[in-house]
Amino acid sequence: MSFLAEKYYFGIGTRVDYAKAIYWSKKGADANITYCHYLYGHMLYYGTSKQIDKNLGLMHLRIAAETGHQHAMLLTARILINTSGKKESIEEGVAFLIKLASQGSADAQFDLGYQYSLGKNVQVDYKKSMRWYKKASEQCHVGALYNLASMYHCGNAIKQDIDKAIELYELAGQNGMDLACRTLKDVYSEGSLVPKDLSLAAYWEKEASRIKREAEVKKPPSLENIFPKLSTGVSNSRRQRLAEKRSLSRKGSEMLEHIDIGEN
């Protein structure tokens, strides 16, 4: 049933048919198949099949999350934290994030860092924010890299460290974040925090444009594009290539250092 639901949802070997996808995912959910709970809940919550029932959708997502389905845990946590407005629901969502982050999900680690830095749904705790941002940064999560860089850049709750901020901005840019590239362009063109370098400013502006162009290229539907992506980190060879690229982009700079993920 899960195979048929996925087949019609993504059009694998046939045309996309959301009506059949929701039929088979419901059949699977009725049989208590975890993945079908997730797919059925996702379609109901977001109205993919033109059937919208957020309460029922969340119920099925929660069932999948409680069995340990990682995509369901992440999505359920985000829904509970950002849309419920209820203390008990927010606490449940944070609990899902902590469990998932402890399993190594960079996205959950980033979400926790974000929540603790803003204090929007939890009490502000910069120590916890830094801890989770650093863990996600270790896996090259671009959002965590950028936000952590901003904290070092502005001296927000920590001692200002421009070199560390540049290092993290560059790693975020090298991993495809155009905002990080634009920030580096501004830093090097202004020259207020680092020596002015128009060649580096031009380089990062060009990189930002390239990344934006590539992002605008339409990609075919895939599980990764439609559902929340769970980051898996980068290999040692990938880290080495990024470090080598960074050394070429900064005159006289040292090779990229390992990002400390210990407690602050």
Side-chain angles (χ1 to χ4, degrees):
M1 284 179 280
S2 59
F3 169 76
L4 289 170
E6 192 171 51
K7 173 183 176 179
Y8 287 113
Y9 190 96
F10 294 109
I12 301 173
T14 185
R15 65 182 180 84
V16 171
D17 190 326
Y18 292 134
K20 289 183 179 179
I22 202 166
Y23 171 81
W24 285 111
S25 63
K26 183 181 184 303
K27 291 276 287 187
D30 290 342
N32 205 28
I33 298 173
T34 297
Y35 179 74
C36 288
H37 277 298
Y38 171 62
L39 188 58
Y40 184 52
H42 188 283
M43 286 192 288
L44 285 177
Y45 191 86
Y46 290 106
T48 308
S49 63
K50 296 184 180 179
Q51 296 183 40
I52 301 177
D53 189 330
K54 290 189 179 296
N55 291 331
L56 184 59
L58 179 57
M59 184 193 80
H60 283 279
L61 287 170
R62 185 186 267 114
I63 291 171
E66 288 172 349
T67 63
H69 189 285
Q70 290 194 333
H71 287 295
M73 290 171 70
L74 181 63
L75 184 55
T76 301
R78 288 173 173 175
I79 291 171
L80 291 173
I81 291 171
N82 297 314
T83 67
S84 69
K86 298 179 181 178
K87 181 180 178 181
E88 59 272 20
S89 295
I90 292 172
E91 290 175 347
E92 182 185 3
V94 171
F96 274 130
L97 283 182
I98 291 174
K99 183 177 180 179
L100 188 55
S102 299
Q103 293 174 2
S105 166
D107 292 302
Q109 292 164 355
F110 167 78
D111 282 14
L112 284 170
Y114 182 79
Q115 292 294 331
Y116 284 120
S117 68
L118 292 184
K120 183 178 179 181
N121 297 301
V122 297
Q123 185 175 353
V124 172
D125 190 324
Y126 289 118
K127 182 177 180 180
K128 288 183 178 179
S129 177
M130 287 284 292
R131 175 175 178 260
W132 289 115
Y133 274 152
K134 285 183 176 181
K135 284 183 177 292
S137 294
E138 173 65 14
Q139 300 188 67
C140 286
H141 187 289
V142 293
L145 286 165
Y146 186 85
N147 286 2
L148 190 58
S150 296
M151 294 176 80
Y152 281 113
H153 188 167
C154 302
N156 184 14
I158 55 174
K159 183 178 179 181
Q160 188 180 49
D161 188 335
I162 300 302
D163 287 340
K164 189 69 174 178
I166 294 293
E167 177 183 292
L168 294 168
Y169 282 139
E170 288 185 351
L171 189 51
Q174 290 161 357
N175 274 273
M177 189 182 206
D178 65 317
L179 177 59
C181 295
R182 293 198 303 271
T183 300
L184 286 165
K185 173 256 184 185
D186 292 339
V187 168
Y188 283 118
S189 61
E190 292 171 1
S192 58
L193 297 173
V194 297
K196 191 171 184 178
D197 192 323
L198 295 181
S199 63
L200 279 177
Y203 168 79
W204 287 112
E205 183 176 26
K206 183 178 180 181
E207 282 294 285
S209 298
R210 178 188 62 79
I211 291 169
K212 187 176 180 180
R213 285 196 307 272
E214 291 178 357
E216 290 172 350
V217 176
K218 189 175 182 180
K219 297 180 180 180
S222 70
L223 182 67
E224 187 175 272
N225 292 334
I226 295 173
F227 296 146
K229 180 181 178 183
L230 296 176
S231 299
T232 57
V234 294
S235 65
N236 288 334
S237 60
R238 171 65 172 159
R239 290 185 189 281
Q240 184 178 357
R241 289 197 299 273
L242 291 174
E244 290 170 352
K245 183 175 181 182
R246 179 177 182 272
S247 68
L248 291 173
S249 69
R250 293 188 67 195
K251 297 178 180 179
S253 66
E254 297 181 349
M255 294 294 285
L256 182 63
E257 297 176 356
H258 176 79
I259 299 174
D260 178 22
I261 61 171
E263 292 283 347
N264 282 292

